[in-house]
């Protein structure tokens, strides 16, 4: 069906290049700064600053809305899914539009070139009167008209397509709707200016205050406590709340107001459940205390990856991680925040999703990847992990799975330390490495006769070697320790022990095209791999892809079942809907209802069992076996 007039944005096909629209304003400011003693058009500077502040305002609300660890009063318990994130990707189109309209207004009224006073009390009074008497009722009736059959179908339904309210949802609407909203916000400002009572603080204050209220109303977190309205009931009609506006999205025939429920009360469209639901949510009598069935305990990898989480930037969190040059200026500030977290922060909730009525959460230990290799940091890290396990046990979590370095053998024996210390634990501690091993060995083609394995005496390396030798695959095990190699070799069946071969140099694999990296392989060491080699890997961080004539696999991972709900974040470099195998392994442990701890050495005999259980529950390999 063809789009209706003014439903599409004029620059919707430009992608990120849409920001060149700011170019003339920026050029004017740069020219005045370099070649003139003073700004010829000071409004150019103000428009750019206001647009930047508006974007920052929305980002702050995004951060607050996604800070799940604050334990705030969430209105809807669902998570924001990838589809909604993609639909709201260009949420800031309205800022561009209103910046253009402000530019046109300044060009039409030469008096705008004069500097406004910082403050004008008369201007604030005029602005507030115009807002209450003109903007509020105008928005109310236009909003009601857009809920008519034709306008809703072709225009306003786009805004209501977002199932979970979010501050970015405020900007997710058609071009026509934002033209009207621009008129709503512009009338009080232009009215005050044309009456000769404009001021700089009035313009900044009203525009940013308008955005603040819009973001608050579309937030999925209630910020106004019910006790305030109970003590001062008249405030209910002067300021709306996130709960109030969320009811409009669930019952679209009510709660049409801009910011003041007074107008819904006047025209009989106020939802009768507004105050009761608000009290229920703010008194924590809703579902905010729901206990997760499964917890994946992750950790921070590095500074750059820390900028790709939902409460920093929702858009980046929804796509696989990659280093973005334009984020480098934020690196020092991010580092300082992470150092403060190192000193004071506790393990915190990062993301969640739902699977078949069960709540699955990801918690994060506030420690960098490099800290796990500092001898003096080991006790502190283990303490954080132990606290998280005990917290999960108190809450009634069924399974907690340790990610990556949190289950490092040298650190805590793959979780053995905690289970031995607390034998009464009801929560099942799981390293998930059995499924990790399964993913790696199932990825290797069945006709392969020889592989080269680094990190061969590690927990995963041992299991992979023992499994493959049973398949009569020759495993070149790189290790400097003859004793550790022989110990593993003795675990293999007698008739397959000769398939495990001890090597000490990379040159031994110069004719082998299947390399399994369980230990970091430098670009210099990779040169020994023959052309066409494929690198499978379970090393953290992944090895650098330095050979163009070779291929590189991702870390062991599995695709979540298709019926997963509320998923809107990617795990590190993995694509959407894919999680690390140790994450999937813990989830399968919970779904199967297994009552044992999965800690310590991997039971090679269970690799096929865990693999089949994962497939049974809808998990799928990323590779094509």
């Amino acid at each position: 069906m063809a789009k209706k007039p003014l439903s599409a944005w004029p620059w919707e096909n430009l992608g990120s290049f849409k920001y060149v629209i700011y170019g003339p304003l920026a050029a004017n400011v740069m020219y005045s700064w370099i070649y003139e003693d003073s700004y010829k058009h000071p409004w150019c500077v103000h428009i750019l600053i206001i647009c930047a502040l508006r974007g920052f305002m929305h980002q702050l609300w995004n951060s607050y809305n996604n800070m799940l660890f604050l334990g705030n009063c969430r209105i809807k318990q669902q998570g924001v899914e990838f589809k909604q994130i993609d639909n709201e990707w260009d949420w800031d189109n309205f800022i561009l539009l209103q910046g253009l309209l402000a530019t046109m207004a300044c060009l039409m009224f030469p008096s705008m070139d004069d500097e406004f006073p910082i403050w004008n009390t008369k201007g604030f009074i005029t602005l507030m009167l115009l807002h209450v008497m003109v903007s509020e009722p105008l928005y109310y009736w236009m909003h009601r008209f857009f809920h008519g059959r034709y306008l809703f179908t072709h225009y306003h339904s786009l805004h209501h397509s977002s199932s979970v309210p979010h501050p970015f949802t405020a900007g997710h609407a058609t071009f026509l709707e934002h033209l009207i909203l621009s008129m709503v916000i512009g009338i009080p400002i232009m009215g005050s200016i044309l009456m000769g009572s404009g001021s700089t603080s009035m313009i900044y204050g009203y525009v940013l205050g308008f955005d603040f209220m819009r973001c608050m109303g579309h937030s999925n977190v209630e910020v106004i406590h019910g006790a305030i309205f109970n003590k001062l009931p008249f405030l209910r009609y002067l300021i709306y709340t996130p709960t109030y506006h969320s009811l409009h999205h669930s019952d679209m025939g009510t709660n049409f107001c801009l910011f003041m429920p007074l107008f819904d009360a006047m025209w009989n469209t106020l939802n009768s459940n507004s105050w009761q639901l608000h009290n229920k949510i703010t008194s924590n009598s809703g579902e905010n205390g729901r206990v997760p069935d499964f917890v994946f305990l992750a950790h921070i990898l590095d500074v750059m990856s820390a900028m790709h989480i939902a409460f920093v930037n929702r858009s980046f969190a929804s796509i696989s991680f990659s280093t973005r040059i334009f984020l480098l200026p934020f690196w020092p500030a991010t580092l300082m925040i992470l150092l403060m977290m190192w000193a004071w922060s506790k393990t915190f909730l990062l993301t969640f999703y739902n699977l078949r009525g069960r709540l699955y959460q990801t918690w994060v230990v506030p420690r960098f990847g490099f800290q796990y290799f500092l001898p003096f940091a080991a006790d502190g890290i283990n303490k954080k992990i132990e606290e998280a396990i005990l917290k999960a046990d108190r809450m009634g979590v069924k399974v907690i799975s340790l990610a990556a370095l949190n289950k490092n053998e040298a650190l805590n024996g793959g979780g053995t330390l905690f289970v031995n210390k607390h034998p009464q634990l009801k929560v099942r501690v799981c390293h998930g490495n059995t499924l990790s091993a399964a993913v790696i060995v199932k990825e290797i083609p069945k006709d392969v006769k020889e592989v080269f394995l680094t990190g061969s005496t590690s927990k995963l390396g041992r299991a992979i070697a023992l499994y493959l030798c049973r398949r009569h695959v020759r495993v070149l095990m790189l290790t400097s320790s003859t004793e550790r190699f022989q110990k593993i070799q003795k675990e293999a069946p007698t008739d397959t022990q000769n398939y495990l071969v001890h090597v000490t140099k990379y040159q031994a694999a110069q004719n082998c095209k299947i390399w399994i990296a369980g230990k970091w392989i430098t670009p210099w060491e990779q040169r020994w791999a023959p052309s066409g080699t494929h690198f499978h890997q379970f090393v953290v961080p992944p090895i650098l892809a330095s050979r163009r004539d070779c291929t590189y696999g991702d870390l062991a991972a599995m695709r979540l079942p298709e019926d997963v709900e509320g998923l809107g974040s990617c795990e590190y470099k993995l694509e959407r809907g894919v999680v690390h195998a140790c994450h999937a392994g813990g989830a399968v442990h919970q779904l199967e209802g297994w009552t044992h701890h999965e800690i310590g050495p991997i039971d090679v005999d269970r690799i096929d069992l865990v693999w089949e259980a994962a497939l049974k529950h809808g998990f799928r390999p990323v590779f094509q076996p």
Side-chain angles (χ1 to χ4, degrees):
M1 184 173 63
K3 290 185 176 181
K4 295 301 178 180
L6 299 180
S7 63
W9 290 86
W11 49 79
E12 69 176 16
N13 294 322
L14 294 180
S16 297
F17 291 103
K18 67 184 180 181
Y19 297 109
V20 300
I21 294 173
Y22 291 121
L25 291 173
N28 183 285
V29 171
M30 290 297 295
Y31 182 86
S32 298
W33 181 52
I34 297 172
Y35 297 106
E36 298 176 352
D37 295 333
S38 60
Y39 291 120
K40 186 176 181 181
H41 302 294
W43 49 265
C44 290
V45 181
H46 290 302
I47 290 175
L48 288 175
I49 292 174
I50 289 174
C51 288
L53 290 175
R54 298 183 79 179
F56 186 59
M57 172 79 73
H58 282 75
Q59 286 291 347
L60 287 178
W61 270 103
N62 166 73
S63 295
Y64 179 71
N65 198 73
N66 287 304
M67 287 180 174
L68 305 175
F69 52 86
L70 294 178
N72 41 34
C73 300
R74 303 192 68 77
I75 299 167
K76 290 192 174 183
Q77 299 305 307
Q78 304 98 303
V80 178
E81 298 186 338
F82 292 119
K83 181 179 179 181
Q84 179 174 336
I85 294 172
D86 289 343
N87 289 339
E88 295 177 353
W89 197 274
D90 292 311
W91 60 269
D92 60 343
N93 276 337
F94 78 98
I95 300 179
L96 271 172
L97 171 64
Q98 293 178 9
L100 285 174
L101 294 176
T103 300
M104 293 171 59
C106 291
L107 291 173
M108 291 171 60
F109 299 97
S111 60
M112 293 290 192
D113 285 337
D114 299 328
E115 282 282 3
F116 290 118
I118 299 296
W119 179 268
N120 187 317
T121 303
K122 180 182 176 182
F124 268 98
I125 296 173
T126 303
L127 178 136
M128 291 308 299
L129 288 173
L130 288 172
H131 174 84
V132 174
M133 298 175 65
V134 180
S135 292
E136 285 281 353
L138 175 62
Y139 178 89
Y140 174 89
W141 283 109
M142 292 307 301
H143 193 180
R144 283 192 67 170
F145 288 147
F146 269 100
H147 274 263
R149 182 175 180 181
Y150 179 85
L151 290 177
F152 184 85
T153 301
H154 298 292
Y155 294 94
H156 197 50
S157 60
L158 178 68
H159 179 71
H160 280 272
S161 66
S162 298
S163 57
V164 181
H166 185 278
F168 291 164
T169 307
H172 181 50
T174 60
F175 183 58
L176 175 62
E177 290 174 276
H178 276 295
L179 280 174
I180 295 172
L181 188 65
S182 299
M183 179 172 62
V184 170
I185 191 175
I187 287 174
I189 295 175
M190 291 304 299
S192 298
I193 291 173
L194 294 177
M195 291 179 189
S197 54
S199 67
T200 303
S201 58
M202 179 197 75
I203 298 172
Y204 275 77
Y206 184 69
V207 173
L208 296 179
F210 196 96
D211 279 2
F212 181 92
M213 294 296 294
R214 292 262 296 163
C215 287
M216 183 187 77
H218 287 87
S219 174
N220 192 37
V221 177
E222 186 52 75
V223 296
I224 302 177
H225 200 279
I228 296 176
F229 287 163
N230 292 335
K231 292 180 179 179
L232 302 171
F234 69 92
L235 287 180
R236 294 173 177 172
Y237 299 97
L238 300 183
I239 182 172
Y240 78 160
T241 67
T243 303
Y244 185 92
H245 189 71
S246 72
L247 280 171
H248 169 71
H249 281 255
S250 58
D251 182 2
M252 291 184 285
T254 61
N255 294 9
F256 292 102
C257 75
L258 178 58
F259 305 137
M260 300 174 66
L262 171 66
F263 294 93
D264 280 309
M266 285 173 55
W267 288 304
N268 199 31
T269 54
L270 195 152
N271 192 299
S272 60
N273 195 38
S274 297
W275 317 134
Q276 292 88 332
L277 181 62
H278 182 253
N279 281 326
K280 179 180 178 181
I281 289 175
T282 57
S283 63
N284 291 320
S285 60
E287 297 182 2
N288 293 302
R290 186 180 173 192
V291 176
D293 294 273
F294 166 75
V295 167
F296 181 57
L297 188 62
H299 60 80
I300 301 168
L301 284 173
D302 52 46
V303 177
M304 289 302 294
S305 64
M307 287 188 266
H308 287 67
I309 55 179
F311 67 78
V312 176
N313 191 302
R314 186 186 75 168
S315 299
F316 291 160
S318 70
I319 54 180
S320 59
F321 168 79
S322 62
T323 301
R324 292 173 170 80
I325 303 298
F326 61 86
L327 290 179
L328 288 177
F330 301 99
W331 194 93
T334 306
L335 176 62
M336 291 302 298
I337 293 172
L338 291 175
L339 290 175
M340 288 189 289
M341 291 176 64
W342 181 3
W344 296 297
S345 180
K346 298 180 180 180
T347 298
F348 60 92
L349 170 62
L350 180 64
T351 61
F352 71 94
Y353 61 88
N354 292 279
L355 181 62
R356 296 164 197 167
R358 299 175 175 91
L359 176 61
Y360 290 14
Q361 294 182 343
T362 295
W363 298 358
V364 177
V365 175
R367 293 294 182 269
F368 294 96
F370 79 88
Q371 292 176 263
Y372 286 77
F373 301 98
L374 302 176
F376 62 84
D379 290 342
I381 293 173
N382 276 331
K383 183 179 179 181
K384 293 292 183 184
I385 298 172
E386 182 181 5
E387 289 173 351
I389 292 174
L390 294 177
K391 177 182 177 182
D393 191 58
R394 290 192 302 271
M395 291 174 62
V397 176
K398 294 180 176 65
V399 176
I400 183 168
S401 183
L402 307 180
L405 299 174
N406 283 333
K407 59 190 175 190
N408 187 286
E409 195 70 25
L411 182 69
N412 52 48
T416 306
L417 172 68
F418 312 115
V419 174
N420 290 342
K421 186 175 179 180
H422 302 282
Q424 77 285 1
L425 283 174
K426 295 180 181 178
V427 63
R428 303 294 93 180
V429 180
C430 177
H431 55 48
N433 281 339
T434 308
L435 186 56
S436 297
V439 169
I440 295 169
V441 297
K442 298 296 182 181
E443 188 175 345
I444 297 171
K446 292 182 178 180
D447 59 348
V448 167
K449 299 302 181 183
E450 183 180 72
V451 301
F452 175 60
L453 177 62
T454 71
S456 58
T457 60
S458 66
K459 182 185 303 182
L460 267 170
R462 165 193 162 275
I464 292 169
L466 290 174
Y467 185 93
L468 290 177
C469 79
R470 294 181 183 186
R471 275 175 43 181
H472 293 178
V473 176
R474 190 166 180 260
V475 184
L476 306 179
M477 298 176 63
L478 179 71
T479 177
S480 59
S481 174
T482 302
E483 179 183 355
R484 288 199 297 270
F485 166 76
Q486 291 177 344
K487 183 178 179 181
I488 294 173
Q489 189 180 44
K490 290 178 181 178
E491 291 187 68
T494 305
D495 60 336
T496 62
Q497 289 182 0
N498 61 311
Y499 285 96
L500 300 180
V501 180
H502 182 206
V503 299
T504 58
K505 295 182 179 180
Y506 287 89
Q507 293 93 314
Q510 56 187 327
N511 295 317
C512 180
K513 289 192 174 184
I514 298 294
W515 285 36
I516 305 175
K519 182 181 179 182
W520 179 262
I521 305 176
T522 66
W524 177 255
E525 292 163 339
Q526 291 178 37
R527 79 187 194 281
W528 293 106
S531 179
T533 294
H534 182 76
F535 290 88
H536 305 268
Q537 52 186 320
F538 57 93
V539 58
V540 179
I543 62 176
L544 296 175
S546 61
R547 292 278 300 272
R548 293 185 177 181
D549 59 341
C550 298
T551 55
Y552 296 79
D554 293 320
L555 295 175
M558 295 204 78
R559 195 174 302 280
L560 288 169
E562 294 182 357
D563 56 341
V564 65
E565 298 176 337
L567 184 67
S569 295
C570 292
E571 283 194 1
Y572 196 45
K573 293 187 176 182
L574 302 180
E575 61 184 276
R576 290 179 171 183
V578 176
V579 296
H580 292 96
C582 55
H583 181 151
V588 171
H589 201 98
Q590 190 277 320
L591 288 166
E592 280 290 304
W594 288 329
T595 58
H596 65 281
H597 295 288
E598 186 190 347
I599 55 173
I602 297 172
D603 184 349
V604 181
D605 293 329
R606 289 184 60 85
I607 289 178
D608 286 332
L609 173 67
V610 173
W611 175 256
E612 293 300 327
L615 297 181
K616 180 182 73 174
H617 287 289
F619 290 85
R620 291 291 178 265
V622 179
F623 65 91
Q624 295 298 322

